[in-house]
Amino acid sequence: MRITKRIATALLVVASTGLSACQGIGDDDGHNVVFWVSGGNATTDLINNTLVPMFREEYAAEMPEDLEITVLSQGDYNGLYDAVSKAIPAGTTPTMAVAYPDHAASYVASNALVDINTFINDEEMTFTAEEGGGAEDFVKAFWDEGKNISGQEGLYTVPLYKSTEVMYFNRSYFHEHNLKIPTTWDELIEVARTIHDSNPEYWDKPEHYPVIWDSDSNLFITHAYQMGYGYTDPSQTGNPFIFNNEGNRNFVKELKGYYDDHLFATKGSLGGQYSSSFLTNEQCIIAIGSTGGSTYNITPNFQLGIAPEPVFNTQNVAYIQQGPDVCFFRRSSETELEWGWRFYRFLTSTLTNYRICSTLSYNPVRYSSYELDQYQDYVSQYAAFVDEPMATDNEGNLLHVDSNNMGLQSMVAYQTQKIVQANQLFYSPAFLGSAEARGDETTGVGNVIAGTLTFTGSDIDGQIMNLMNVAVNNALMAYTE
Amino acid sequence: MRINRLAGILSLATMAAVLPVSCNGGNGNNSSNSNTGSGDEPELIDYAAQAKLNLEYEEKNFLDVGVGEVTVQMYIDGDTTHFIELDKRQVDARYANINTPESTADIQKWGKSASLFVQDKLESASTIVLTNPTMREEAPEHDDNQRWLSLIWYATVESPTLDDFRCLNLEIVQEGYSAITGMESYYPFYDIFHDAQKQAQDNRLHIFAPDTVVDPNYYVGEAAEISIEEFNKNAAKYAGKKVHMTGIVSTFMGVQSVWVESVSDDGSIWGVYLFTGYSGNAKPLFKVGNMVEFTGAVTEFNGDYQITDLQYNQYFPTEDDVVLISENNPVPSASQVAPSSQVLAGDFNVNTTVTLSDDLVVTRGWGGTDEIDPDTGVNYANNAITLWCTNPEGEDVQVYMPNGAMLRGDDGMLIHSWTYFEGKTLSNLHGVIDSYNGRYSLQLLSTNDVTISATETVA
């Protein structure tokens, strides 16, 4: 089936009235759907070797014989962002790409993206009931994140699979030392101090910290959100980057003290190493990281536990939403866009999305996926270990998940389902400069934390203010470009 | 990257007409082209000749200043090589900004070819230099697996000048063995890498080739159905091919190492080592006593043959997936209880387990991350520990704890130095039999494999 004339016309109208005359579609009739993704070989292997053949088989009767589907990894999220940012002016964008809404904001500003409503509003191209139905079946917070990016009306990204953060912990250590699972930030630091003080010689070694939080930027943003200190506010058009405030600065200074006491570290302060390697090596006891990376924590050496990330404000419990969306680039042929969009629909159909997410340890984007019997079987298998992580047998021995924590993915899925059901996910608005404000452990607010923790000078307040100013200025530069 | 056919043809024609530079570069390096289409193959631009090493490297160490000369210690795959610096420190180098297909735990099309390409280039080198991908004299960064991100430069002439060096990372992209990954736009060779990648894509080299193009180093035939005994006796015959075997899981370490055993008709016990990578996906392999069927590739590592490329996905199953046949089977080698002299005599097959009936006393050893490597003057890079012990007969017995083995001391924390064992008695030893240079040894994998106690002195 060809893209309908209505869509083609709509897209061409957008192209001709858009910001950039050189952007458009239909200037050739390419038949190669190119999908840029992030992540390692596991993701590209799954898509290339399994999902593309399944898609081809399902649509064999309608698909042009010469249609190619090329899936290429562009490294991590930042590498992908950089590659797309370069491809836009060069005119070499793919058909579709994995994208964070933060990143998509700059693509929108370059007039490079298709308004996905164009597909959805076309009766021949929209979601089918067999796929799970339309927008109403997508988890609301996941779907809404792609709306009105940079304040522009339209839908520019749609969710592929999602994740949030949870607390992984050495359940065996907690049992042996009779520790209480922390639910708040204060309790977390209290537990960290108890662990440290039980064996200071061990915990004062380099790269040994009882608690490690992976994402410096997520830590900053989550704290600011829960405490109401403010992070970004796109309604403030002069300077929407409001994170350089006293509440946030005090928090960063507090972290510095815990880091110096060898209680707490972040991925950024550890040279970019993920907490999972420290947890499995017993160089930390509590690791707070993405649900998407849960399998990296698997170890046969002790029993693992899962719990919600400790909160800063019990009156405003909210966990950051992450994981990739997909966007579509206007500089593609009609055929490529049509089949790229169909491929997205296939990837997010109820059953397929459940299977992808269960394979890659992510969370489905459709309510109907969560309601599948298979998914409920999957998440309920080890639910008791999440609900009562310190349960023991009659003799006081800790109950084991299995010999080497192979049930971890299921436990994480169960915990995340509870968060989704409780509507406890949040995201920060995407607009020009928001990607730069977030940054990673070497830029943006992430660098404010990492650069403060590893600071060896005496003027900590000055260092924090300096890093805050750098982060604000870099974001403002992108905002005003 | 999107391939626009018309634009591709036009741009290629333009390139060939304007810049007819052959890929036979300055050092006589041949470029292969897997485009098997018309036979009218275009001349390709040798972008690798355009990137120049501009940092003096002599008497510098890469780990300190981001540039330095090295020699190869071990080839791993197409994007990882272990090198040794001038000061003897080991550098596990992860080639920056590329990601070739897999050829170790997983086997992917073009993976082995990429690995051989790298090995061929570095074996031809007279001098190899590593630099920080920023091309600044600054200490390098490592990835999550503690591998140092590097550009690898090599020259094939004796006493080379800086102009004689070629960037292997770039050459890999130019040959279509990898797409560019995670490259910062401020890196000095950003544009050259992207031009090289575009040329490889336009010419459909290797990973960019259509599915119909054959990788001669990638086995696509049926798996050979063999016994573990047959594998042990004729492993070389199956190297590079797929095999299908059945056995019982005898032990495992972490989520990357599994040993499987079976009993032959004559009652002999045979074992095989499976390298499963680091994902822990092949769940049926990680429970002792599971009888499993598995299909994998036979690969050679450090002179030993092993099984890799194990598949398992319960959500998208394939016919090559590991299959759980039954649980709670007795481990065949549980019957192998003997004094260490029998292990030394080769009475049991490698990759089976044994329980020693005698005690060993540790006399010396080396290793552990708390220890200083005498060759380099810095701490060992991983936690592998080797112990030399004596048995009651006065024979030397080697006990090895590979990196990843989890042995705890009295305080419950992991042991990070061989000296923890010094002079102590090891009892109730249970481990996997290994062999190196014809000498048999015992591998311990966890705290449960040994009882450690002070040695009683004889009055």
Side-chain angles (χ1 to χ4, degrees), chain B residues 103 163 178 187 256 260 386 394 408 423 457:
Chain B
S103 61
D163 274 351
S178 172
Y187 284 10
Q256 72 267 37
V260 177
T386 300
R408 296 172 202 283
T457 51

PDB file of all heavy atoms in Angstrom, chain B residues 103 163 178 187 256 260 386 394 408 423 457:
ATOM      1  N   SER B 103      32.544 -11.565  17.795  1.00  0.00           N
ATOM      2  CA  SER B 103      33.203 -12.819  17.394  1.00  0.00           C
ATOM      3  C   SER B 103      33.715 -13.588  18.607  1.00  0.00           C
ATOM      4  O   SER B 103      34.541 -14.481  18.460  1.00  0.00           O
ATOM      5  CB  SER B 103      34.363 -12.537  16.437  1.00  0.00           C
ATOM      6  OG  SER B 103      35.342 -11.728  17.051  1.00  0.00           O
ATOM      7  N   ASP B 163      54.240  10.392   9.625  1.00  0.00           N
ATOM      8  CA  ASP B 163      53.441  10.267   8.402  1.00  0.00           C
ATOM      9  C   ASP B 163      53.215   8.820   7.982  1.00  0.00           C
ATOM     10  O   ASP B 163      52.341   8.542   7.152  1.00  0.00           O
ATOM     11  CB  ASP B 163      54.127  11.013   7.249  1.00  0.00           C
ATOM     12  CG  ASP B 163      53.748  12.477   7.241  1.00  0.00           C
ATOM     13  OD1 ASP B 163      52.837  12.845   8.018  1.00  0.00           O
ATOM     14  OD2 ASP B 163      54.370  13.252   6.486  1.00  0.00           O
ATOM     15  N   SER B 178      32.596  -1.664  10.462  1.00  0.00           N
ATOM     16  CA  SER B 178      31.886  -1.038  11.576  1.00  0.00           C
ATOM     17  C   SER B 178      31.303   0.294  11.128  1.00  0.00           C
ATOM     18  O   SER B 178      31.885   0.976  10.273  1.00  0.00           O
ATOM     19  CB  SER B 178      32.845  -0.787  12.751  1.00  0.00           C
ATOM     20  OG  SER B 178      32.198  -0.021  13.756  1.00  0.00           O
ATOM     21  N   TYR B 187      36.049  15.883  17.771  1.00  0.00           N
ATOM     22  CA  TYR B 187      37.223  15.045  17.525  1.00  0.00           C
ATOM     23  C   TYR B 187      37.836  15.436  16.172  1.00  0.00           C
ATOM     24  O   TYR B 187      37.109  15.681  15.202  1.00  0.00           O
ATOM     25  CB  TYR B 187      36.857  13.559  17.502  1.00  0.00           C
ATOM     26  CG  TYR B 187      36.599  12.951  18.858  1.00  0.00           C
ATOM     27  CD1 TYR B 187      36.488  13.724  19.998  1.00  0.00           C
ATOM     28  CD2 TYR B 187      36.469  11.571  18.999  1.00  0.00           C
ATOM     29  CE1 TYR B 187      36.243  13.154  21.237  1.00  0.00           C
ATOM     30  CE2 TYR B 187      36.222  10.992  20.236  1.00  0.00           C
ATOM     31  CZ  TYR B 187      36.107  11.790  21.346  1.00  0.00           C
ATOM     32  OH  TYR B 187      35.858  11.216  22.566  1.00  0.00           O
ATOM     33  N   GLN B 256      29.052 -15.765  33.033  1.00  0.00           N
ATOM     34  CA  GLN B 256      29.811 -15.852  31.785  1.00  0.00           C
ATOM     35  C   GLN B 256      30.450 -17.210  31.539  1.00  0.00           C
ATOM     36  O   GLN B 256      30.907 -17.462  30.438  1.00  0.00           O
ATOM     37  CB  GLN B 256      30.882 -14.749  31.729  1.00  0.00           C
ATOM     38  CG  GLN B 256      32.074 -14.933  32.663  1.00  0.00           C
ATOM     39  CD  GLN B 256      31.874 -14.234  33.988  1.00  0.00           C
ATOM     40  OE1 GLN B 256      30.768 -14.213  34.510  1.00  0.00           O
ATOM     41  NE2 GLN B 256      32.924 -13.677  34.528  1.00  0.00           N
ATOM     42  N   VAL B 260      29.744 -28.080  31.322  1.00  0.00           N
ATOM     43  CA  VAL B 260      28.736 -29.113  31.090  1.00  0.00           C
ATOM     44  C   VAL B 260      29.456 -30.446  30.892  1.00  0.00           C
ATOM     45  O   VAL B 260      30.528 -30.497  30.278  1.00  0.00           O
ATOM     46  CB  VAL B 260      27.880 -28.769  29.847  1.00  0.00           C
ATOM     47  CG1 VAL B 260      26.867 -29.874  29.559  1.00  0.00           C
ATOM     48  CG2 VAL B 260      27.159 -27.439  30.046  1.00  0.00           C
ATOM     49  N   THR B 386      46.745 -16.902  41.553  1.00  0.00           N
ATOM     50  CA  THR B 386      47.348 -18.220  41.376  1.00  0.00           C
ATOM     51  C   THR B 386      48.097 -18.593  42.650  1.00  0.00           C
ATOM     52  O   THR B 386      48.846 -17.783  43.198  1.00  0.00           O
ATOM     53  CB  THR B 386      48.340 -18.204  40.190  1.00  0.00           C
ATOM     54  OG1 THR B 386      47.625 -17.844  39.005  1.00  0.00           O
ATOM     55  CG2 THR B 386      48.977 -19.571  39.999  1.00  0.00           C
ATOM     56  N   GLY B 394      54.415 -34.046  48.709  1.00  0.00           N
ATOM     57  CA  GLY B 394      55.461 -33.081  48.416  1.00  0.00           C
ATOM     58  C   GLY B 394      55.457 -32.585  46.978  1.00  0.00           C
ATOM     59  O   GLY B 394      56.372 -31.893  46.545  1.00  0.00           O
ATOM     60  N   ARG B 408      35.556 -15.464  49.643  1.00  0.00           N
ATOM     61  CA  ARG B 408      35.483 -14.500  50.741  1.00  0.00           C
ATOM     62  C   ARG B 408      36.406 -14.897  51.884  1.00  0.00           C
ATOM     63  O   ARG B 408      36.609 -16.078  52.136  1.00  0.00           O
ATOM     64  CB  ARG B 408      34.063 -14.433  51.297  1.00  0.00           C
ATOM     65  CG  ARG B 408      33.055 -13.937  50.313  1.00  0.00           C
ATOM     66  CD  ARG B 408      31.643 -14.085  50.876  1.00  0.00           C
ATOM     67  NE  ARG B 408      30.684 -14.110  49.802  1.00  0.00           N
ATOM     68  CZ  ARG B 408      30.281 -13.035  49.139  1.00  0.00           C
ATOM     69  NH1 ARG B 408      30.724 -11.852  49.500  1.00  0.00           N
ATOM     70  NH2 ARG B 408      29.427 -13.121  48.145  1.00  0.00           N
ATOM     71  N   GLY B 423      50.749 -19.618  53.333  1.00  0.00           N
ATOM     72  CA  GLY B 423      51.048 -20.490  54.479  1.00  0.00           C
ATOM     73  C   GLY B 423      49.853 -21.248  55.020  1.00  0.00           C
ATOM     74  O   GLY B 423      49.991 -22.052  55.950  1.00  0.00           O
ATOM     75  N   THR B 457      51.543 -26.288  62.706  1.00  0.00           N
ATOM     76  CA  THR B 457      52.983 -26.532  62.624  1.00  0.00           C
ATOM     77  C   THR B 457      53.328 -27.829  63.340  1.00  0.00           C
ATOM     78  O   THR B 457      52.766 -28.140  64.389  1.00  0.00           O
ATOM     79  CB  THR B 457      53.774 -25.376  63.265  1.00  0.00           C
ATOM     80  OG1 THR B 457      53.246 -25.138  64.553  1.00  0.00           O
ATOM     81  CG2 THR B 457      53.672 -24.129  62.410  1.00  0.00           C
TER      82      THR B 457
END
